[in-house]
Amino acid sequence: MREVLGAIATSIAFGSATSLAPSVVLADGPKDGSDAQGHAPLCTIGETTVLSFQTEAGLRAISLCEGAGSTYMVYRSGRPKHIGLQYPRVANTNSWRSFEFAGYSREGGASNDAMGDYTLRFVNRDVMYTVFQSWRVSGSEYRVGVVIEVKGKAVVLKGNADTQIGSLMSLETNKKIKNAW
């Protein structure tokens, strides 16, 4: 099991996984990872960034991208010139049902311990991916990243919040996506 998780973590971190993504034309942009229209590193021209961030190690980006007119949503992981994984492989109107969303937030500032917890899950080849975003006002906590789970064992890819574009909160009212609750 350790070897399987190690291979997954290595392929994720260093892009050695076989690319499952079709050819895509990525938006070029400045060093902060977005162009003038706010495209994330792995979203194509014409797509909207739902959420994107660099991993803490800075070796790859994670991007959730929405097609024009909300026609589809895809998860991409990799580098701008090398997409290591695109899920689902075919971006079409059915892609929304490939994901499961859960979210909760509480307002009220520090006196009410304002917080938010959001996740987006999918399973690809018996591997569960959970993109997460959470915060707590008390303690000034903020986390973003991806948990990759195989046969009950998990690897966490922590995201660099300073590179984040977008938010999972934007999926709260989307009726096309499965709600985990």
Side-chain angles (χ1 to χ4, degrees), residues 104-116 135 137 169 172:
Y104 173 78
S105 65
R106 179 176 58 229
E107 297 178 13
S111 64
N112 193 42
D113 191 23
M115 51 80 68
W135 64 91
V137 170
M169 286 178 61
E172 264 186 316

Side-chain angles (χ1 to χ4, degrees), residues 33 41 52-56 58-62 78 158-161 163-164:
S52 184
F53 54 89
Q54 297 289 323
T55 58
E56 215 171 57
L59 299 174
R60 67 180 36 245
I62 306 295
K158 294 178 182 177
N160 178 344
T163 64
Q164 182 178 329

Side-chain angles (χ1 to χ4, degrees), residues 76-130:
R76 293 191 185 108
S77 174
R79 296 180 303 270
K81 303 258 187 230
H82 177 78
I83 306 296
L85 172 65
Q86 175 176 303
Y87 179 85
R89 184 177 165 89
V90 177
N92 60 31
T93 56
N94 294 326
S95 69
W96 290 101
R97 303 307 287 167
S98 301
F99 297 95
E100 189 174 87
F101 172 79
Y104 173 78
S105 65
R106 179 176 58 229
E107 297 178 13
S111 64
N112 193 42
D113 191 23
M115 51 80 68
D117 283 309
Y118 293 88
T119 61
L120 184 75
R121 291 185 180 171
F122 65 93
V123 176
N124 182 44
R125 297 183 177 182
D126 296 324
V127 178
M128 180 182 291
Y129 295 78
T130 304

Side-chain angles (χ1 to χ4, degrees), residues 5-17 55 59-62 75 77-79 84-85 127 129 146-148 155 157:
L5 285 173
I8 290 170
T10 300
S11 69
I12 290 166
F14 298 104
S16 62
T55 58
L59 299 174
R60 67 180 36 245
I62 306 295
Y75 168 96
S77 174
R79 296 180 303 270
L85 172 65
V127 178
Y129 295 78
V146 181
V147 177
I148 301 160
V155 173
L157 294 178

